[in-house]
Amino acid sequence: MLVLTRKINEAIKISDDIEVRIVAIDGDQVKLGITAPSDVDIYRQEIYEAIKAENSEAASISEDFIKLLKKNDKKY
């Protein structure tokens, strides 16, 4: 992990088209401003993890449903 020290209004660049800027510091909270192309998805980690879990569950249900369909298809 790369750890950088930045002050308010300072930024870091990720590639040519993503910038992360320190917008404000309030107690133990740091507010970040992120500039990125519209095709780049940006999520808080807990939201990203919830999306991954939901997608995994949906994929699992789909696989189970396909197995059930195949099983039922053999009966006819």
Side-chain angles (χ1 to χ4, degrees):
M1 175 188 298
L2 173 65
V3 177
L4 301 172
T5 302
R6 301 279 69 204
K7 295 178 183 176
I8 293 178
N9 292 322
E10 291 183 338
I12 62 168
K13 292 288 286 184
I14 302 171
S15 186
D16 288 332
D17 52 0
I18 299 174
E19 179 181 278
V20 180
R21 181 171 298 278
I22 306 302
V23 176
I25 302 172
D26 185 17
D28 62 349
Q29 283 192 333
V30 177
K31 294 183 180 179
L32 304 173
I34 302 169
T35 303
S38 59
D39 64 330
V40 174
D41 295 329
I42 302 171
Y43 301 103
R44 296 187 323 233
Q45 182 177 1
E46 61 274 17
I47 300 298
Y48 180 76
E49 295 298 329
I51 290 169
K52 278 180 41 177
E54 287 180 18
N55 288 343
S56 179
E57 182 180 336
S60 174
I61 290 171
S62 295
E63 288 174 13
D64 292 343
F65 185 67
I66 290 170
K67 288 177 186 175
L68 180 63
L69 288 175
K70 286 181 179 178
K71 181 180 176 182
N72 285 338
D73 187 44
K74 291 178 183 176
K75 290 181 180 179
Y76 297 106

